[in-house]
Amino acid sequence: MALGKAIRFIRQASFDKEFRKACYNVETKEELLQILDFNDAEFEDAFNMELVKCQTSEQADMIYQLKSWYHMI
C-alpha cells in the first residue's frame, strides 16, 4: 500500500537525519518517488493524515516544515 509507505516516509524523515541526507543524494524527485514507491498525491494524503493526529501546534509546525522540505527535494 503506497499510502502506508508515504506515512512511513513522513515519520522516518521527521527524526532520521541520515535518511534525509540519503534523500538529498538522489538525482531527481521522480527517482526518489520511484525508490520510495509512492507519488505526490499519496504524500499529500499521508501529510493530511499525520497533520490531523497532531495534538500541539509544535507538532503541526514540524509536519509543515517536513512538507516544505519534501517539496524542496
Side-chain angles (χ1 to χ4, degrees):
M1 172 188 238
L3 182 58
K5 292 176 183 178
I7 291 169
R8 281 191 298 278
F9 168 79
I10 290 171
R11 290 180 181 165
Q12 185 171 4
S14 67
F15 69 86
D16 189 343
K17 187 176 182 178
E18 294 303 315
F19 178 70
R20 290 190 303 268
K21 284 182 184 180
C23 291
Y24 279 128
N25 289 330
V26 176
E27 294 291 322
T28 64
K29 189 173 189 176
E30 290 75 26
E31 184 181 343
L32 178 64
L33 291 175
Q34 208 170 38
I35 292 168
L36 297 171
D37 196 26
F38 61 83
N39 61 37
D40 279 330
E42 291 159 338
F43 173 81
E44 290 296 326
D45 289 344
F47 165 78
N48 290 329
M49 290 174 69
E50 291 299 302
L51 190 60
V52 168
K53 294 178 186 177
C54 293
Q55 296 181 359
T56 66
S57 60
E58 289 82 15
Q59 289 173 330
D61 287 343
M62 187 206 57
I63 296 294
Y64 276 115
Q65 288 174 9
L66 185 63
K67 182 179 181 182
S68 294
W69 167 78
Y70 169 79
H71 287 297
M72 289 189 308
I73 295 177

